[in-house]
Amino acid sequence: YNQYYYDMGILGQCNTFADFSCFHFNIRNRNSYLGFHHRDVPGNQVLKSNRWYHIAGVYDFQAQNQSVYIDGRLDGSRSEGAY
């Protein structure tokens, strides 16, 4: 644990390590992060220890938009292609 920077993985998927086409969803510095290898959308809500959250990540392929939801509320979004 580093009080200034740490990642806690929720899930991730890579086609290969060479082409950098990885999807990841994690908690970084107490904020949710959804991304496609360096194309991340961070959530804004600081997550607290010892509390349950419902966290969802959505990628709308047609709109090219990534979104993160915390407890059903939009917490962060950005327009970005997947790969």
Side-chain angles (χ1 to χ4, degrees):
Y1 170 72
N2 178 329
Q3 65 179 343
Y4 301 108
Y5 181 87
Y6 64 94
D7 282 354
M8 295 169 46
I10 296 172
L11 67 93
Q13 177 185 356
C14 293
N15 290 335
T16 68
F17 288 109
D19 67 4
F20 301 109
S21 58
C22 296
F23 165 78
H24 64 90
F25 195 38
N26 63 342
I27 307 298
R28 178 174 292 161
N29 299 324
R30 297 186 182 223
N31 295 87
S32 58
Y33 266 74
L34 170 68
F36 296 97
H37 192 75
H38 298 300
R39 294 180 203 102
D40 298 347
V41 57
N44 294 303
Q45 180 176 338
V46 175
L47 304 175
K48 298 175 184 169
S49 297
N50 300 315
R51 184 186 184 289
W52 283 94
Y53 294 92
H54 180 263
I55 302 174
V58 175
Y59 180 68
D60 182 332
F61 182 78
Q62 288 185 328
Q64 300 285 292
N65 190 59
Q66 297 166 240
S67 302
V68 175
Y69 292 84
I70 305 287
D71 295 330
R73 295 186 185 130
L74 181 63
D75 192 46
S77 68
R78 71 178 269 179
S79 295
E80 181 69 57
Y83 298 107

